[in-house]
Amino acid sequence: MLQIHNLHANVGDKPILKGLTLSLNAGEIHAIMGPNGAGKSTLGYVLSGRPGYEVTEGSVTFNGQDLLALEPHERAAAGLFLGFQYPVEIPGVSNVQFLREALNAQRKYRGEAPLTGGEFLKVAREQAGALGMDMDMLKRPVNVGFSGGEKKRNEMVQMGIIDPALAILDETDSGLDIDALRTVGDGINRIMRKPDKAVLLITHYQRLLDYVKPDFVHVLDGGRITRTGGAELALELERDGYKELAA
Amino acid sequence: MTDDIEIKDKAAWDAAEKVADYEHGWSSDIETDFAPKGLNEDTVRFISAKKNEPEWMLEWRLKAFAMWKTMEAPDWAKLNVPPIDYQDAYYYAAPKAKPKLNSLDEVDPEILRVYEKLGIPIAEQKLLAGVDGGEDGGLPQRRVAVDAVFDSVSVATTFRAELERAGVIFRSISEAIKEYPDLVRKYLGKIVPMHDNYFATLNCAVFSDGTFVYIPEGVRCPMELSTYFRINAENTGQFERTLIVADKGSYVSYLEGCTAPMRDENQLHAAVVELVALDDAEIKYSTVQNWYPGDAEGKGGIYNFVTKRALCQGRNSKVSWTQVETGSAVTWKYPSCVLNGENSVGEFYSVAVTNNHQQADTGTKMIHNGKGSRSTIVSKGISAGHSNNTYRGLVRVAPNAEGVRNFTQCDSLLLGSLSGAHTVPYIEVRNPSAQIEHEATTSKISDDQMFYAMARGLNAEEAVALIVNGFAKEVLQQLPMEFAVEAQKLLGISLEGSVG
């Protein structure tokens, strides 16, 4: 599904990714772990096309398409979803309006008919319900006045409604209490644990991986993948730390 | 989201251009009567004669014209307007339609076609059923009675019969001058006096049509009233005049929409709107102004110099102005409320968008003379491109007006780094019991917001439109439903090309 080959990327003049190579197949969940400043969030932004993150070398192919040639909204329509570490507030725009316009923009791009208000609300109600978010919250402006945990939960509701092929989840677990962590973990499994989907989980800690079992764990350090293993690698990292690993 | 409207809009422009753009004047598509070019006493007499006006009206016009010649254009606004050659324009242009119209069928089909392409409901067959008081079967739930003003004259007024059954008078002002002279004379020029300002005085002399509304005591107007203005002819100024009188305990919601075709030269629009609300009466006046703003280089566009004022004369009377201003090369407009009645209420909700080289200097005046009068001002300015957008507002409290309250909120949103936002509030309080609040913010659309929206599938323009609509929401939700949808789309369209 996703092939990243020898990816180099700068933020401003500063090289952050330095030859990252990684492949994800449909049906797989990959976790990327690594110390602060390793380039984990940069990887998420580069893959989703954030302005200011400049690719200097390498290639990324997504379902056979040159991902780097696409605009951010085109990447979204192609099936790529970025779960934000810090979800953004949009005053005056309700979640319902935001998501309906976003989803219909994606559908239009793909040549599909737009969802009517009724059809959309049905999907939104299902997804919100499954994540324990009431509809009143969906009618409130996007992330305005939401707690940290509510924002992350809202990201998962968005993911459920948009139903992407590939989700890159950037520290979706940070700021969550134990119960919320479980809800979010269940959400990821329910929405994304499917034979035709894949997930790239970016995380500092192994605790989310108790709920979302990764097929592969990668260590990102110094802008490239330094080690790859199965789920047990996360436990090892938790026990020994990144320093031990680097040594 | 913008797909329908873009096509609709383009079709409208195409239609307008087709009607307007040809080599040999105005003889083919829509035949037009012009007054001779230029402005002098004869022009004024010509207009008055064309309208078969009574003598008092002509005298009033001539007095205004004499006054206007002694006046100078105001220069205090933050606007850069080249001198206007008042002799190089037509002051009267009328489609050569049949003199009396009993139904829309008699309107020149070419005009109806233009309105139809613009999506104006006068041409909707469903709506036409109402013209002669026909059966209500098949009519939409919410109906809007329309007075369509094409260049200088009103071409159609719908739902007249049904409104008359409710006692509501909804007429072009030319008709009202002849049919209801006493009512018109009682209020015309009383809210905006003849000498009020340069453009208002000019309007008094040369106004050619407009709308008159009277809602009798205790009547809630059974439907929204609407006037649709269109400047079509070349080199033509439009000077319309609107007078709305809401008698005791009555209510009316009135909508105003405007467009003009693209033209390279600037065209002048100088309207006067007067509203009067008696005891316990309420007027809700909404405007979606989409005059041609000029091209991306600032060539062409409408000069929009408009005087709008409401007199809240009665106790507990209320006037609410809501405006969405996206068009015009230059906008100079301050819809105001003179709050004479005890416990009267004035409201002003405004969204003004400027893009490219547009200039807007707009705001309101809340004049508190009545005890316990209250006002709310919510102004949202959005500036993009090279444009300048100024909020200018006055809150004045008279010495004997006890217990006055005002709340003002002015928010500015900047797009790009070349546009300007300015806020100029004047507050004059002469009674110590007044409570006046003023809040102002200026912000930019953040990169984070843009990327968040784009990562969810919106392209840059859709993302801007969404964020801007959120910014303007408090105002947009004041509009009647149909207008709110149109206004939302307009905001997006107006800002096209302002990003990326």
Side-chain angles (χ1 to χ4, degrees):
Chain A
M1 178 179 282
L2 184 75
Q3 286 84 34
I4 305 171
H5 180 70
N6 190 32
L7 186 65
H8 291 252
N10 288 2
V11 179
D13 291 336
K14 195 178 170 201
I16 306 287
L17 299 184
K18 301 164 186 169
L20 187 147
T21 296
L22 182 65
S23 269
L24 274 78
N25 296 312
E28 293 176 353
I29 293 182
H30 292 235
I32 293 216
M33 305 180 75
N36 291 325
K40 300 192 299 298
S41 289
T42 297
L43 176 61
Y45 284 145
V46 167
L47 292 178
S48 50
R50 179 160 194 149
Y53 290 75
E54 189 200 352
V55 174
T56 52
E57 203 182 326
S59 66
V60 181
T61 312
F62 178 48
N63 284 334
Q65 262 186 304
D66 177 5
L67 187 72
L68 301 177
L70 302 177
E71 296 286 313
H73 68 280
E74 296 170 326
R75 299 183 194 197
L80 186 148
F81 177 91
L82 175 66
F84 281 63
Q85 184 181 359
Y86 303 107
V88 179
E89 299 182 5
I90 308 181
V93 178
S94 73
N95 280 293
V96 169
Q97 185 193 358
F98 178 60
L99 284 169
R100 185 173 165 215
E101 287 195 19
L103 182 59
N104 280 339
Q106 291 195 19
R107 293 177 67 91
K108 184 176 154 194
Y109 186 82
R110 295 192 293 257
E112 299 163 7
L115 290 189
T116 64
E119 289 167 339
F120 174 78
L121 279 176
K122 186 167 174 285
V123 176
R125 208 170 273 128
E126 274 169 23
Q127 292 301 331
L131 282 146
M133 184 187 258
D134 67 41
M135 280 305 282
D136 284 350
M137 269 186 87
L138 272 189
K139 288 172 187 161
R140 279 164 48 186
V142 180
N143 293 320
V144 176
F146 285 26
S147 71
E150 285 170 338
K151 286 180 181 176
K152 293 300 176 68
R153 195 181 297 217
N154 192 23
E155 291 291 288
M156 293 302 101
V157 172
Q158 294 188 17
M159 183 172 78
I161 291 170
I162 288 171
D163 196 23
L166 171 65
I168 301 163
L169 303 178
D170 188 3
E171 299 201 19
T172 295
D173 53 340
S174 65
L176 295 182
D177 62 30
I178 299 294
D179 292 340
L181 191 66
R182 180 189 309 254
T183 310
V184 164
D186 289 349
I188 296 170
N189 288 326
R190 180 177 53 82
I191 300 161
M192 298 303 296
R193 180 59 97 176
K194 290 180 182 164
D196 57 344
K197 293 179 184 290
V199 178
L200 192 57
L201 278 178
I202 296 171
T203 183
H204 270 299
Y205 305 106
Q206 106 88 26
R207 55 180 198 159
L208 178 64
L209 307 182
D210 289 341
Y211 301 99
V212 184
K213 203 110 190 100
D215 301 297
F216 298 93
V217 173
H218 310 276
V219 176
L220 174 57
D221 197 359
R224 67 184 72 167
I225 304 291
T226 53
R227 200 171 154 194
T228 293
E232 72 289 346
L233 177 57
L235 295 166
E236 192 184 319
L237 289 170
E238 184 87 349
R239 192 183 63 232
D240 299 339
Y242 299 112
K243 278 214 173 102
E244 185 71 17
L245 189 82
Chain B
M1 179 193 88
T2 56
D3 204 36
D4 285 355
I5 191 78
E6 274 171 293
I7 292 160
K8 188 171 110 186
D9 207 47
K10 187 175 184 313
W13 289 133
D14 287 347
E17 283 207 292
K18 184 167 175 290
V19 172
D21 266 347
Y22 50 89
E23 291 178 356
H24 307 292
W26 275 92
S27 56
S28 64
D29 281 310
I30 295 175
E31 288 194 77
T32 307
D33 256 348
F34 284 107
K37 208 175 194 181
L39 181 55
N40 54 45
E41 218 177 271
D42 288 342
T43 321
V44 177
R45 289 179 187 282
F46 178 94
I47 293 168
S48 187
K50 270 281 168 195
K51 307 252 145 208
N52 294 315
E53 282 178 354
E55 187 62 25
W56 62 266
M57 197 66 242
L58 174 62
E59 280 167 18
W60 197 74
R61 287 175 179 277
L62 290 172
K63 187 177 163 196
F65 182 67
M67 191 182 282
W68 180 75
K69 284 193 290 186
T70 68
M71 297 168 82
E72 282 182 17
D75 61 356
W76 43 260
K78 189 171 173 57
L79 298 171
N80 182 12
V81 187
I84 298 168
D85 182 354
Y86 290 89
Q87 299 306 330
D88 187 32
Y90 292 104
Y91 288 82
Y92 182 84
K96 277 185 185 160
K98 292 169 191 168
K100 277 228 165 185
L101 301 173
N102 294 316
S103 81
L104 286 176
D105 299 342
E106 296 173 34
V107 176
D108 186 336
E110 201 63 33
I111 292 175
L112 283 183
R113 213 171 55 80
V114 171
Y115 278 107
E116 193 183 343
K117 293 234 174 180
L118 288 165
I120 309 309
I122 61 159
E124 280 180 24
Q125 294 305 313
K126 277 187 276 184
L127 234 155
L128 292 185
V131 171
D132 296 313
E135 289 306 305
D136 285 359
L139 285 173
Q141 281 294 306
R142 284 168 60 90
R143 290 163 303 157
V144 179
V146 177
D147 180 21
V149 176
F150 202 90
D151 290 332
S152 306
V153 296
S154 168
V155 295
T157 312
T158 61
F159 284 113
R160 197 182 272 202
E162 187 173 338
L163 289 168
E164 249 150 52
R165 281 200 292 276
V168 172
I169 303 171
F170 181 44
R171 284 282 187 282
S172 76
I173 197 136
S174 315
E175 290 171 305
I177 287 166
K178 282 173 276 185
E179 293 175 35
Y180 304 95
D182 295 343
L183 208 45
V184 173
R185 281 183 93 164
K186 186 171 176 188
Y187 293 106
L188 188 75
K190 298 299 190 294
I191 300 99
V192 177
M194 184 185 279
H195 57 79
D196 191 80
N197 69 73
Y198 186 78
F199 299 104
T201 310
L202 176 62
N203 176 285
C204 291
V206 300
F207 80 86
S208 44
D209 221 326
T211 306
F212 174 74
V213 176
Y214 173 76
I215 315 291
E217 188 169 341
V219 170
R220 192 178 168 89
C221 188
M223 64 186 82
E224 311 262 1
L225 302 183
S226 168
T227 300
Y228 195 81
F229 297 106
R230 180 165 181 80
I231 300 177
N232 205 60
E234 230 167 329
N235 283 313
T236 302
Q238 179 152 312
F239 306 91
E240 83 271 359
R241 187 137 195 137
T242 301
L243 174 58
I244 299 176
V245 181
D247 213 324
K248 291 178 185 171
S250 67
Y251 169 84
V252 63
S253 169
Y254 181 89
L255 325 170
E256 175 191 68
C258 343
T259 60
M262 297 187 221
R263 300 212 178 276
D264 285 345
E265 84 274 16
N266 296 105
Q267 287 178 285
L268 179 62
H269 173 248
V272 172
V273 175
E274 297 180 284
L275 313 183
V276 185
L278 304 186
D279 288 355
D280 303 303
E282 180 177 349
I283 302 174
K284 191 171 161 58
Y285 193 106
S286 311
T287 302
V288 174
Q289 187 265 109
N290 187 27
W291 296 118
Y292 178 51
D295 68 12
E297 275 71 52
K299 191 173 185 195
I302 302 291
Y303 290 159
N304 193 33
F305 293 92
V306 172
T307 306
K308 291 183 169 179
R309 195 170 305 154
L311 176 60
C312 289
Q313 184 175 305
R315 297 163 62 95
N316 307 318
S317 57
K318 178 176 175 183
V319 169
S320 181
W321 297 101
T322 303
Q323 61 172 20
V324 175
E325 303 278 319
T326 63
S328 298
V330 171
T331 296
W332 179 98
K333 179 180 166 188
Y334 315 90
S336 303
C337 296
V338 179
L339 299 161
N340 283 357
E342 202 174 315
N343 296 325
S344 56
V345 176
E347 294 177 339
F348 175 75
Y349 296 96
S350 171
V351 177
V353 181
T354 52
N355 194 3
N356 297 320
H357 291 268
Q358 281 178 276
Q359 306 175 67
D361 192 301
T362 185
T364 185
K365 289 184 273 187
M366 293 291 173
I367 311 297
H368 291 266
N369 297 323
K371 285 179 186 160
S373 54
R374 307 187 300 283
S375 63
T376 303
I377 298 171
V378 177
S379 166
K380 304 274 180 176
I382 299 144
S383 327
H386 296 265
S387 70
N388 267 298
N389 201 328
T390 302
Y391 167 82
R392 187 182 303 277
L394 169 66
V395 176
R396 177 183 287 161
V397 180
N400 52 1
E402 297 289 328
V404 163
R405 298 188 65 161
N406 161 265
F407 172 75
T408 300
Q409 185 185 334
C410 294
D411 296 326
S412 303
L413 187 68
L414 292 163
L415 279 75
S417 55
L418 301 170
S419 59
H422 317 273
T423 302
V424 190
Y426 302 81
I427 300 173
E428 300 173 11
V429 178
R430 295 196 174 79
N431 184 306
S433 68
Q435 285 185 44
I436 309 291
E437 290 175 70
H438 183 98
E439 290 178 7
T441 65
T442 302
S443 53
K444 291 185 80 161
I445 291 183
S446 74
D447 293 345
D448 283 344
Q449 285 176 329
M450 282 297 290
F451 178 63
Y452 192 57
M454 291 179 72
R456 293 292 174 262
L458 299 173
N459 67 31
E461 283 180 350
E462 291 165 339
V464 167
L466 183 86
I467 294 164
V468 165
N469 272 301
F471 171 76
K473 188 182 182 188
E474 279 170 274
V475 174
L476 296 178
Q477 66 192 10
Q478 296 292 328
L479 289 170
M481 182 87 89
E482 300 87 341
F483 261 35
V485 174
E486 187 187 348
Q488 270 186 19
K489 290 177 177 170
L490 257 182
L491 291 189
I493 291 166
S494 311
L495 292 168
E496 271 174 14
S498 61
V499 289

